[in-house]
Amino acid sequence: MNDAENTPTSVSQPLDERVNNRSQRPSSAAFKAFMASNWAPSGQHLPALDAVANYAAARRKAISEKFKGERLVIPAGPLKVRSNDCDYRFRPHSGFAHLTGLGLDHEPDAVLILEPAGEGKGDGGSHHRATLYFRPLVGRDTEQFYADSRSGEFWIGARPTLAEFEARLGLATVHIDGLESAITKNVGAPEIGGISIRLVRKVDENIDALVDTARYNTAKDPDNLDLAVLDALDEKLSEALSELRLLKDEWEIEQMMTAVAATVEGFVEVVKALPRALTHARGERVVEGAFFARAREVGNELGYDTIAAAGNNATVLHWTRNTGRINAGELLLLDAGVEADSLYTADVTRTLPVNGTFTAVQRKVYEAVLDAADAGFAAAQPGAKFRDIHTAATTVLAERLAEWGLLPVSVEEAVSQEGQQHRRWMPHGTSHHLGLDVHDCAQAKRELYLDGILTAGMVFTIEPGLYFKNEDLAIPAEYRGIGVRIEDDILMTADGPVNLSAALPRKADDIQSWMAGIYQELDGGLPSGANR
Ligand code: GLY
Ligand code: MN
Ligand code: MN
């Protein structure tokens, strides 16, 4: 204990107030009046949302249809502390973003409530009225303006007013102060005139607590509340929100194309950065940084942490440490996606020969994975099952592994449900839905996901790989330390699959000439591969 802690003041001061101990801000009326005076309007430029407003309204209507007569509570989620008083960049819950159309920066602590309005008497003929509760911009005559580092305009910039959001979203807006009563009023059993709530749980623990308390206080027999039944009610809402995203609307498809185009630009930046990466002790970080710079320049963020994996690191499926060297002659597996300002993300992988040319064995493995991807692509037809893509791709991989003498059983046995020996070298699924989340629609029922029918409007990945670890004694040495994945983003249409990421070359020769073309433009020639 030091002297300061022995003083009466520091002993009695609560810890959560001590964050202000470094503040020297005066609190006199004269100071407050001066800070509040003489400001012109901010002239803030909020991104246009008119384009998404109608789509978001249609999504709310679809959800309204499933939960007539019930209050639906969909939180954006709070800011999350990264360290002490520094937060992570805010990103709303994807279900909230989907139903409001809000992306980029909007709106910590906000909650969307769909209030039952009677059959067909809600917004646009739906059965609910939607209201967004959020913390609007406060006046410059408040202390919050210059003193609140989490929401004050002086600290984080201007935020929307209630009226601005109402006009831009086509959605009623109310100050967040009204939230508690909006969630808790009239809660109770429908048979006694009460309203039952469904909540997207585990997004904002304050809202979870509010709903739990309201349910407890209004239950007929509070001491015997069946929490499992209530959880199941809530889970049905999360499930419905997830399933609603299985089919993308036109606006979402545009956003996916934007995200993929930005991702393609990021891959070009990585190729440009490779010569420097090859000379750097943490070359993988050079690659990660090059992609991230482009993601921030043209999009909101990364959709997920970049996997920049050279050599044996490429055999670690989610290698995001990215601390490795990139050695001459190795393959670089780059799995990266830009998240657009709308929060839709791409998810693309290319495996590049860092010197610009595949060795014979690298090419052999690469082409097997490419053939598997092409088989997956051929299986991805409207009317087929989602799971057919994986079956088609992994059958090709099993065949190649058998040809190379690596599979300890026949191809038939390997592809059987109990066999699956090829999984030693390809242990992940071939496809997942893609959208606001990189692994989108994750709460959808299995019969609509893995056993679902491929339908126009779905967006998903095809991403087979082969991963031969350095320490794998079941394979000849020549394969060890080679990891290959090829991942494309696919839009299903009535005419078949469209590869949204086709602007990035996939064939081995095309990759080589694409890389050579980039270096020619840079006028620097192919990277030499010299390591420091
Ligand atoms: N980037 C993660 C995945 O491909 O699923
Ligand atoms: Mn993926
Ligand atoms: Mn990926």
Side-chain angles (χ1 to χ4, degrees):
M1 207 177 261
N2 60 33
D3 287 347
E5 284 174 333
N6 279 328
T7 65
T9 325
S10 57
V11 167
S12 57
Q13 187 184 28
L15 284 185
D16 57 4
E17 280 177 18
R18 295 186 193 184
V19 69
N20 295 320
N21 283 354
R22 67 176 195 265
S23 171
Q24 301 178 56
R25 189 178 58 245
S27 57
S28 67
F31 174 76
K32 287 180 186 170
F34 178 63
M35 290 301 282
S37 65
N38 244 342
W39 298 105
S42 76
Q44 62 169 312
H45 298 290
L46 296 164
L49 290 166
D50 343 342
V52 68
N54 287 341
Y55 290 103
R59 298 168 201 159
R60 293 193 294 272
K61 193 170 180 185
I63 284 297
S64 170
E65 200 57 48
K66 286 189 182 294
F67 300 101
K68 287 182 194 168
E70 297 181 86
R71 178 175 299 149
L72 308 179
V73 180
I74 301 123
L79 286 164
K80 295 184 179 74
V81 172
R82 181 176 185 277
S83 112
N84 186 29
D85 58 353
C86 297
D87 298 315
Y88 288 103
R89 220 188 312 281
F90 178 69
R91 187 194 190 281
H93 182 265
S94 296
F96 173 90
H98 194 230
L99 291 194
T100 56
L102 287 171
L104 192 68
D105 265 0
H106 295 301
E107 261 307 296
D109 304 324
V111 178
L112 176 70
I113 297 189
L114 300 190
E115 183 70 8
E119 186 91 19
K121 292 190 184 139
D123 304 329
S126 75
H127 320 299
H128 290 80
R129 269 189 315 274
T131 304
L132 180 68
Y133 293 81
F134 76 102
R135 189 177 295 107
L137 181 68
V138 296
R140 288 165 174 169
D141 54 349
T142 62
E143 223 179 345
Q144 201 181 326
F145 162 52
Y146 57 87
D148 186 333
S149 63
R150 271 186 144 185
S151 65
E153 182 182 348
F154 220 117
W155 291 82
I156 64 162
R159 296 168 351 88
T161 62
L162 291 171
E164 277 163 352
F165 249 18
E166 183 140 348
R168 289 162 69 231
L169 294 170
L171 193 57
T173 53
V174 171
H175 194 289
I176 199 165
D177 288 350
L179 180 62
E180 183 167 341
S181 87
I183 290 179
T184 56
K185 73 179 173 207
N186 307 334
V187 171
E191 56 274 21
I192 52 164
I195 291 180
S196 68
I197 309 183
R198 291 200 199 232
L199 164 69
V200 180
R201 295 189 83 83
K202 296 186 185 155
V203 179
D204 186 327
E205 61 186 25
N206 291 325
I207 307 298
D208 288 2
L210 207 54
V211 169
D212 288 343
T213 308
R215 284 173 171 164
Y216 182 84
N217 288 342
T218 56
K220 272 191 232 147
D221 182 6
D223 293 333
N224 289 306
L225 257 190
D226 191 338
L227 296 179
V229 168
L230 294 171
D231 280 353
L233 277 182
D234 289 337
E235 281 174 6
K236 278 285 161 202
L237 176 57
S238 292
E239 176 187 283
L241 291 175
S242 213
E243 290 175 355
L244 184 62
R245 306 208 316 257
L246 284 165
L247 295 183
K248 270 62 182 176
D249 58 38
E250 287 166 354
W251 187 85
E252 293 181 287
I253 291 166
E254 239 174 68
Q255 298 311 309
M256 291 305 303
M257 288 174 170
T258 302
V260 172
T263 299
V264 170
E265 288 181 29
F267 273 67
V268 172
E269 290 308 309
V270 165
V271 174
K272 288 183 191 167
L274 264 183
R276 191 168 91 79
L278 276 152
T279 67
H280 198 285
R282 294 212 290 189
E284 292 174 345
R285 287 286 173 92
V286 174
V287 164
E288 177 186 327
F291 189 85
F292 181 67
R294 186 45 63 115
R296 287 293 287 164
E297 282 167 30
V298 298
N300 177 46
E301 246 289 2
L302 302 169
Y304 54 92
D305 285 343
T306 296
I307 299 165
N312 192 51
N313 290 342
T315 67
V316 179
L317 300 179
H318 283 176
W319 174 257
T320 54
R321 238 175 277 158
N322 303 342
T323 45
R325 203 179 263 285
I326 302 180
N327 296 306
E330 287 179 339
L331 294 177
L332 170 73
L333 186 157
L334 175 65
D335 183 341
V338 174
E339 179 185 85
D341 287 350
S342 56
L343 308 182
Y344 287 78
T345 189
D347 178 13
V348 176
T349 307
R350 288 294 182 267
T351 306
L352 311 173
V354 300
N355 292 115
T357 312
F358 289 93
T359 66
V361 65
Q362 287 169 350
R363 181 180 278 261
K364 176 170 145 180
V365 176
Y366 186 89
E367 288 181 341
V369 175
L370 185 62
D371 289 348
D374 287 345
F377 204 78
Q381 297 300 327
K385 278 193 172 171
F386 192 82
R387 61 159 68 246
D388 295 342
I389 304 171
H390 180 71
T391 305
T394 51
T395 300
V396 169
L397 294 178
E399 285 165 1
R400 293 305 151 84
L401 290 164
E403 273 169 38
W404 302 340
L406 306 185
L407 208 57
V409 296
S410 67
V411 172
E412 292 67 36
E413 189 176 340
V415 298
S416 72
Q417 213 171 0
E418 286 309 307
Q420 301 289 307
Q421 286 80 358
H422 52 275
R423 277 187 172 260
R424 180 181 174 106
W425 301 288
M426 155 70 179
H428 60 79
T430 305
S431 295
H432 56 81
H433 280 270
L434 184 65
L436 279 164
D437 293 329
V438 61
H439 298 150
D440 213 34
C441 314
Q443 283 79 40
K445 289 186 282 294
R446 191 180 175 95
E447 55 263 38
L448 295 180
Y449 201 121
L450 195 61
D451 293 326
I453 301 296
L454 293 171
T455 307
M458 288 182 170
V459 177
F460 52 86
T461 66
I462 297 183
E463 51 175 310
L466 280 174
Y467 312 93
F468 297 121
K469 292 185 181 296
N470 266 343
E471 58 275 26
D472 189 341
L473 302 181
I475 56 173
E478 58 170 336
Y479 294 106
R480 294 185 196 146
I482 294 179
V484 173
R485 178 159 67 250
I486 304 169
E487 176 172 27
D488 284 290
D489 298 345
I490 312 300
L491 166 67
M492 184 54 71
T493 73
D495 301 324
V498 173
N499 185 354
L500 298 179
S501 42
L504 283 176
R506 298 169 75 244
K507 292 186 180 153
D509 285 342
D510 293 347
I511 284 186
Q512 291 182 175
S513 41
W514 173 69
M515 291 176 75
I518 292 171
Y519 293 126
Q520 229 151 34
E521 249 174 56
L522 279 181
D523 212 21
L526 289 171
S528 69
N531 272 324
R532 218 175 22 203

